[in-house]
Amino acid sequence: MAQIDRILAFETSCDDTSVAIVSHDGFVEACCSAHQDLAHAPFGGVVPEIASRNHTEAILPLIEAAFEKSGRTWADIQGLAVTNRPGLLGSLLVGVVTTKALALTKKLPWIAVNHIEGHLLAPLLQDQDYQVAKDFTFPYLALAVSGGHTHMFIVESLGRYRLIGKTVDDAAGEAFDKFGKLLGLPYPGGVQVDRLSKTGQIDKYKFPRSMLKEDNLDFSFSGLKTSAQRLLETLSVEERRANLSDLCASYQQAIVDVLLGKLEKAMLMYNLPRFVLTGGVSANSKLREQAEKLSQKHGWQVAVPPLKYCTDNAAMIGYAGLMRLKMGQASRQDLGPSPASLESDFI
Ligand code: KG4
Ligand code: ZN
């Protein structure tokens, strides 16, 4: 096994630029990120060209910030890791090119990591304030829910991720964001819908729970969005405004019911003892609250990493990369980014 004690890692797959320094057992010594929500807000979604330009500007200062925060220098780093798939090609390219240039100049091994693998391992990260329970071990079910993915995996061990369900159309975060856009809320809609839902009535409006009763573990959210669109067309501007919280709470509940309904089905089907929520949507307060209740009902262990490790971050990429480099894996200089996962990434 290679002697890799500490790694410098990069995440630029979408609209967050993140650089982290991660040491043994996933201890996060620094995780410095630049978010671009404000840059994309006027467009109601991520604009790829703007995202890559901002990554280019942010990445080098973030490396300096990570070294400063951790008190480390290049002499302490034995390897590099970067997200090279899946994601926006132009965004991924910034991280990959930076990593490969550094690997060459600093003469360090580097490893390309699948972004989703990062999310799946995020609960195992540690820092001064967070550590998962000692008996929270493999295997566990992971529900990865974000703006780009809604996937359910059994994390069997490091590198063995069994995909057991995924969305057949929109991701859960996309469903939140599109609804926010329909309501004229600031981007990203998920955060706003969560906030407004707190004072709303969850059963005022009826939204579909697509595929919930079906005998599989896949998700679908495009029907929900269409049904919301139709409902909103029947409401005047005043009615929408007066019922904003109820609209949000009812819509949010439909998403949470489907996510946790399928999760419960999967846990029972595979007889698993523990699960994690990860990805940006796992920040949702209703989802967290109901996941906790579900775990109590069945006596399951649950882990929800702190928000900074649920949303896109380089620490989770660093952990996956550290473990892989330690196992002797490394990427070649001619490897580039890929917008999609590889077939071999999941079993
Ligand atoms: O993991 P992430 O930061 O980036 C992607 O890989 O997509 O997830 C971003 C997504 C957005 O769709 C955003 O609306 C959603 O996570 N999100 C939320 C909340 N916070 C972020 N959705 C619902 N409730 C929240 N509190
Ligand atoms: Zn993500």
Side-chain angles (χ1 to χ4, degrees):
M1 278 215 189
Q3 180 66 35
I4 308 278
D5 292 328
R6 192 170 292 100
I7 192 169
L8 181 70
F10 298 91
E11 158 60 43
T12 64
S13 67
C14 189
D15 62 338
D16 292 318
T17 324
S18 183
V19 179
I21 294 177
V22 180
S23 63
H24 329 258
D25 301 330
F27 190 87
V28 185
E29 297 189 350
C31 184
C32 300
S33 305
H35 306 288
Q36 303 181 14
D37 287 353
L38 285 179
H40 300 283
F43 307 97
V46 176
V47 182
E49 290 77 7
I50 295 179
S52 23
R53 201 180 320 134
N54 285 345
H55 287 312
T56 311
E57 283 174 14
I59 200 159
L60 296 180
L62 286 173
I63 298 176
E64 281 178 30
F67 276 124
E68 196 177 317
K69 186 155 185 224
S70 62
R72 299 290 176 186
T73 67
W74 277 107
D76 302 312
I77 304 294
Q78 288 90 37
L80 304 166
V82 62
T83 305
N84 88 319
R85 63 192 189 280
L88 300 170
L89 205 51
S91 290
L92 290 164
L93 197 61
V94 179
V96 172
V97 167
T98 305
T99 305
K100 291 204 302 189
L102 288 170
L104 270 180
T105 51
K106 304 290 177 189
K107 298 190 173 46
L108 290 171
W110 75 283
I111 182 114
V113 172
N114 182 307
H115 177 80
I116 299 172
E117 176 178 39
H119 277 306
L120 298 183
L121 299 178
L124 307 181
L125 288 168
Q126 305 177 36
D127 62 22
Q128 258 124 7
D129 308 313
Y130 170 75
Q131 186 174 16
V132 79
K134 281 266 179 293
D135 58 348
F136 196 101
T137 52
F138 301 121
Y140 55 83
L141 183 139
L143 177 65
V145 268
S146 72
H149 19 86
T150 300
H151 288 63
M152 207 154 42
F153 290 90
I154 299 174
V155 180
E156 295 183 353
S157 60
L158 200 99
R160 279 183 68 82
Y161 313 112
R162 186 174 299 279
L163 180 61
I164 55 169
K166 64 176 180 352
T167 179
V168 297
D169 42 54
D170 293 349
E174 224 176 326
F176 271 114
D177 295 343
K178 284 179 177 171
F179 187 60
K181 200 169 177 181
L182 287 173
L183 291 172
L185 300 173
Y187 175 82
V191 180
Q192 308 300 328
V193 172
D194 188 0
R195 182 178 58 81
L196 289 160
S197 294
K198 290 191 172 35
T199 51
Q201 213 179 304
I202 55 170
D203 52 1
K204 173 94 175 263
Y205 297 99
K206 298 272 166 287
F207 288 112
R209 271 68 171 158
S210 303
M211 295 177 73
L212 184 56
K213 297 248 153 58
E214 284 182 25
D215 203 18
N216 60 47
L217 299 173
D218 289 331
F219 304 87
S220 167
F221 294 106
S222 67
L224 176 63
K225 183 199 64 195
T226 312
S227 128
Q229 206 161 4
R230 291 221 186 91
L231 169 70
L232 292 178
E233 279 163 13
T234 68
L235 301 178
S236 67
V237 175
E238 291 73 33
E239 281 171 321
R240 286 187 193 191
R241 201 172 298 141
N243 296 291
L244 194 57
S245 297
D246 296 336
L247 282 163
C248 288
S250 303
Y251 187 88
Q252 173 176 275
Q253 192 61 48
I255 296 180
V256 170
D257 282 352
V258 172
L259 290 175
L260 293 182
K262 291 281 181 167
L263 181 144
E264 184 177 27
K265 193 177 280 189
M267 290 291 289
L268 295 170
M269 195 183 276
Y270 289 96
N271 194 22
L272 291 162
R274 54 190 80 87
F275 71 88
V276 308
L277 300 181
T278 179
V281 177
S282 62
N284 186 267
S285 48
K286 190 58 141 191
L287 182 64
R288 286 180 171 231
E289 178 195 310
Q290 295 203 186
E292 193 63 51
K293 283 194 185 141
L294 188 67
S295 72
Q296 283 165 8
K297 175 178 151 197
H298 290 282
W300 294 329
Q301 266 183 305
V302 57
V304 188
L307 228 51
K308 58 185 172 187
Y309 301 141
C310 279
T311 54
D312 289 353
N313 68 86
M316 64 185 192
I317 304 304
Y319 181 59
L322 182 82
M323 294 303 164
R324 286 184 175 276
L325 285 176
K326 272 180 180 233
M327 290 191 293
Q329 300 177 14
S331 296
R332 290 180 3 199
Q333 266 303 325
D334 59 355
L335 185 71
S338 156
S341 292
L342 304 175
E343 217 166 285
S344 56
D345 285 338
F346 309 117
I347 52 176

mmCIF file of all heavy atoms in Angstrom, residues 20-42:
data_model
loop_
_atom_site.group_PDB
_atom_site.id
_atom_site.type_symbol
_atom_site.label_atom_id
_atom_site.label_comp_id
_atom_site.label_asym_id
_atom_site.label_seq_id
_atom_site.Cartn_x
_atom_site.Cartn_y
_atom_site.Cartn_z
ATOM 1 N N ALA A 20 -10.099 21.061 -0.819
ATOM 2 C CA ALA A 20 -10.013 20.549 0.556
ATOM 3 C C ALA A 20 -8.690 19.844 0.796
ATOM 4 O O ALA A 20 -8.061 19.343 -0.144
ATOM 5 C CB ALA A 20 -11.164 19.579 0.822
ATOM 6 N N ILE A 21 -8.307 19.823 2.052
ATOM 7 C CA ILE A 21 -7.161 19.008 2.480
ATOM 8 C C ILE A 21 -7.711 17.981 3.462
ATOM 9 O O ILE A 21 -8.349 18.340 4.460
ATOM 10 C CB ILE A 21 -6.059 19.881 3.115
ATOM 11 C CG1 ILE A 21 -5.476 20.814 2.036
ATOM 12 C CG2 ILE A 21 -4.963 19.009 3.735
ATOM 13 C CD1 ILE A 21 -4.430 21.790 2.516
ATOM 14 N N VAL A 22 -7.513 16.712 3.133
ATOM 15 C CA VAL A 22 -8.098 15.619 3.923
ATOM 16 C C VAL A 22 -6.971 14.670 4.322
ATOM 17 O O VAL A 22 -6.130 14.313 3.496
ATOM 18 C CB VAL A 22 -9.165 14.862 3.104
ATOM 19 C CG1 VAL A 22 -9.776 13.729 3.912
ATOM 20 C CG2 VAL A 22 -10.254 15.814 2.642
ATOM 21 N N SER A 23 -6.971 14.269 5.603
ATOM 22 C CA SER A 23 -5.924 13.347 6.055
ATOM 23 C C SER A 23 -6.534 12.022 6.485
ATOM 24 O O SER A 23 -7.724 11.784 6.261
ATOM 25 C CB SER A 23 -5.106 13.992 7.173
ATOM 26 O OG SER A 23 -5.910 14.235 8.286
ATOM 27 N N HIS A 24 -5.733 11.187 7.135
ATOM 28 C CA HIS A 24 -6.146 9.810 7.487
ATOM 29 C C HIS A 24 -7.588 9.728 7.957
ATOM 30 O O HIS A 24 -8.058 10.571 8.670
ATOM 31 C CB HIS A 24 -5.340 9.248 8.681
ATOM 32 C CG HIS A 24 -3.979 9.728 8.820
ATOM 33 N ND1 HIS A 24 -2.902 8.990 8.440
ATOM 34 C CD2 HIS A 24 -3.501 10.878 9.318
ATOM 35 C CE1 HIS A 24 -1.820 9.653 8.712
ATOM 36 N NE2 HIS A 24 -2.141 10.802 9.235
ATOM 37 N N ASP A 25 -8.222 8.659 7.633
ATOM 38 C CA ASP A 25 -9.585 8.366 8.079
ATOM 39 C C ASP A 25 -10.591 9.449 7.710
ATOM 40 O O ASP A 25 -11.605 9.607 8.382
ATOM 41 C CB ASP A 25 -9.636 8.147 9.603
ATOM 42 C CG ASP A 25 -8.739 6.999 10.012
ATOM 43 O OD1 ASP A 25 -8.555 6.081 9.198
ATOM 44 O OD2 ASP A 25 -8.206 7.040 11.141
ATOM 45 N N GLY A 26 -10.284 10.237 6.702
ATOM 46 C CA GLY A 26 -11.253 11.239 6.262
ATOM 47 C C GLY A 26 -11.334 12.458 7.150
ATOM 48 O O GLY A 26 -12.389 13.121 7.179
ATOM 49 N N PHE A 27 -10.254 12.772 7.862
ATOM 50 C CA PHE A 27 -10.292 13.978 8.696
ATOM 51 C C PHE A 27 -10.095 15.209 7.808
ATOM 52 O O PHE A 27 -9.103 15.319 7.086
ATOM 53 C CB PHE A 27 -9.223 13.928 9.797
ATOM 54 C CG PHE A 27 -9.410 15.034 10.807
ATOM 55 C CD1 PHE A 27 -10.248 14.852 11.898
ATOM 56 C CD2 PHE A 27 -8.786 16.265 10.623
ATOM 57 C CE1 PHE A 27 -10.454 15.880 12.812
ATOM 58 C CE2 PHE A 27 -8.987 17.299 11.531
ATOM 59 C CZ PHE A 27 -9.817 17.112 12.628
ATOM 60 N N VAL A 28 -11.054 16.139 7.896
ATOM 61 C CA VAL A 28 -11.022 17.317 7.021
ATOM 62 C C VAL A 28 -10.219 18.426 7.712
ATOM 63 O O VAL A 28 -10.658 18.997 8.703
ATOM 64 C CB VAL A 28 -12.458 17.811 6.716
ATOM 65 C CG1 VAL A 28 -12.421 18.966 5.718
ATOM 66 C CG2 VAL A 28 -13.317 16.677 6.179
ATOM 67 N N GLU A 29 -9.035 18.703 7.181
ATOM 68 C CA GLU A 29 -8.197 19.749 7.786
ATOM 69 C C GLU A 29 -8.595 21.129 7.263
ATOM 70 O O GLU A 29 -8.417 22.122 7.959
ATOM 71 C CB GLU A 29 -6.719 19.462 7.493
ATOM 72 C CG GLU A 29 -6.266 18.146 8.126
ATOM 73 C CD GLU A 29 -4.756 17.945 8.036
ATOM 74 O OE1 GLU A 29 -4.073 18.712 7.331
ATOM 75 O OE2 GLU A 29 -4.266 16.997 8.678
ATOM 76 N N ALA A 30 -9.118 21.165 6.049
ATOM 77 C CA ALA A 30 -9.639 22.422 5.482
ATOM 78 C C ALA A 30 -10.568 22.077 4.343
ATOM 79 O O ALA A 30 -10.334 21.111 3.611
ATOM 80 C CB ALA A 30 -8.501 23.298 4.966
ATOM 81 N N CYS A 31 -11.638 22.846 4.215
ATOM 82 C CA CYS A 31 -12.518 22.690 3.058
ATOM 83 C C CYS A 31 -13.014 24.089 2.700
ATOM 84 O O CYS A 31 -13.822 24.670 3.427
ATOM 85 C CB CYS A 31 -13.689 21.758 3.368
ATOM 86 S SG CYS A 31 -14.724 21.465 1.919
ATOM 87 N N CYS A 32 -12.454 24.640 1.653
ATOM 88 C CA CYS A 32 -12.742 26.028 1.296
ATOM 89 C C CYS A 32 -13.518 26.060 -0.015
ATOM 90 O O CYS A 32 -13.062 25.494 -1.018
ATOM 91 C CB CYS A 32 -11.439 26.810 1.147
ATOM 92 S SG CYS A 32 -10.478 26.802 2.668
ATOM 93 N N SER A 33 -14.677 26.686 -0.004
ATOM 94 C CA SER A 33 -15.546 26.651 -1.184
ATOM 95 C C SER A 33 -16.011 28.046 -1.574
ATOM 96 O O SER A 33 -16.175 28.919 -0.719
ATOM 97 C CB SER A 33 -16.782 25.802 -0.895
ATOM 98 O OG SER A 33 -16.399 24.512 -0.467
ATOM 99 N N ALA A 34 -16.239 28.210 -2.875
ATOM 100 C CA ALA A 34 -16.844 29.449 -3.382
ATOM 101 C C ALA A 34 -18.142 29.055 -4.070
ATOM 102 O O ALA A 34 -18.136 28.226 -4.982
ATOM 103 C CB ALA A 34 -15.904 30.120 -4.366
ATOM 104 N N HIS A 35 -19.244 29.603 -3.587
ATOM 105 C CA HIS A 35 -20.546 29.270 -4.174
ATOM 106 C C HIS A 35 -20.912 30.325 -5.212
ATOM 107 O O HIS A 35 -20.510 31.467 -5.095
ATOM 108 C CB HIS A 35 -21.607 29.184 -3.074
ATOM 109 C CG HIS A 35 -21.202 28.241 -1.978
ATOM 110 N ND1 HIS A 35 -21.191 26.886 -2.165
ATOM 111 C CD2 HIS A 35 -20.722 28.474 -0.743
ATOM 112 C CE1 HIS A 35 -20.736 26.309 -1.049
ATOM 113 N NE2 HIS A 35 -20.441 27.256 -0.181
ATOM 114 N N GLN A 36 -21.685 29.901 -6.193
ATOM 115 C CA GLN A 36 -21.986 30.818 -7.297
ATOM 116 C C GLN A 36 -23.474 31.135 -7.412
ATOM 117 O O GLN A 36 -23.905 31.622 -8.457
ATOM 118 C CB GLN A 36 -21.511 30.204 -8.621
ATOM 119 C CG GLN A 36 -20.054 29.845 -8.677
ATOM 120 C CD GLN A 36 -19.681 29.263 -10.047
ATOM 121 O OE1 GLN A 36 -20.427 29.358 -11.007
ATOM 122 N NE2 GLN A 36 -18.514 28.662 -10.131
ATOM 123 N N ASP A 37 -24.233 30.842 -6.367
ATOM 124 C CA ASP A 37 -25.693 31.017 -6.458
ATOM 125 C C ASP A 37 -26.081 32.393 -7.000
ATOM 126 O O ASP A 37 -26.959 32.519 -7.848
ATOM 127 C CB ASP A 37 -26.349 30.805 -5.088
ATOM 128 C CG ASP A 37 -26.367 29.332 -4.701
ATOM 129 O OD1 ASP A 37 -25.998 28.496 -5.555
ATOM 130 O OD2 ASP A 37 -26.732 29.023 -3.556
ATOM 131 N N LEU A 38 -25.407 33.423 -6.500
ATOM 132 C CA LEU A 38 -25.779 34.783 -6.911
ATOM 133 C C LEU A 38 -25.529 35.015 -8.402
ATOM 134 O O LEU A 38 -26.300 35.706 -9.063
ATOM 135 C CB LEU A 38 -24.996 35.819 -6.089
ATOM 136 C CG LEU A 38 -25.470 36.010 -4.644
ATOM 137 C CD1 LEU A 38 -24.597 37.030 -3.929
ATOM 138 C CD2 LEU A 38 -26.933 36.447 -4.613
ATOM 139 N N ALA A 39 -24.449 34.404 -8.911
ATOM 140 C CA ALA A 39 -24.108 34.597 -10.325
ATOM 141 C C ALA A 39 -25.155 33.962 -11.244
ATOM 142 O O ALA A 39 -25.412 34.454 -12.349
ATOM 143 C CB ALA A 39 -22.735 33.997 -10.616
ATOM 144 N N HIS A 40 -25.761 32.863 -10.789
ATOM 145 C CA HIS A 40 -26.713 32.147 -11.637
ATOM 146 C C HIS A 40 -28.163 32.542 -11.358
ATOM 147 O O HIS A 40 -29.045 32.246 -12.155
ATOM 148 C CB HIS A 40 -26.536 30.633 -11.456
ATOM 149 C CG HIS A 40 -25.154 30.159 -11.813
ATOM 150 N ND1 HIS A 40 -24.754 30.010 -13.116
ATOM 151 C CD2 HIS A 40 -24.084 29.874 -11.041
ATOM 152 C CE1 HIS A 40 -23.481 29.607 -13.132
ATOM 153 N NE2 HIS A 40 -23.062 29.526 -11.880
ATOM 154 N N ALA A 41 -28.381 33.198 -10.210
ATOM 155 C CA ALA A 41 -29.746 33.536 -9.790
ATOM 156 C C ALA A 41 -30.549 34.265 -10.874
ATOM 157 O O ALA A 41 -31.709 33.909 -11.120
ATOM 158 C CB ALA A 41 -29.710 34.350 -8.499
ATOM 159 N N PRO A 42 -29.991 35.256 -11.564
ATOM 160 C CA PRO A 42 -30.812 35.970 -12.560
ATOM 161 C C PRO A 42 -31.312 35.070 -13.678
ATOM 162 O O PRO A 42 -32.287 35.394 -14.349
ATOM 163 C CB PRO A 42 -29.849 37.017 -13.141
ATOM 164 C CG PRO A 42 -28.715 37.106 -12.187
ATOM 165 C CD PRO A 42 -28.632 35.793 -11.471
#
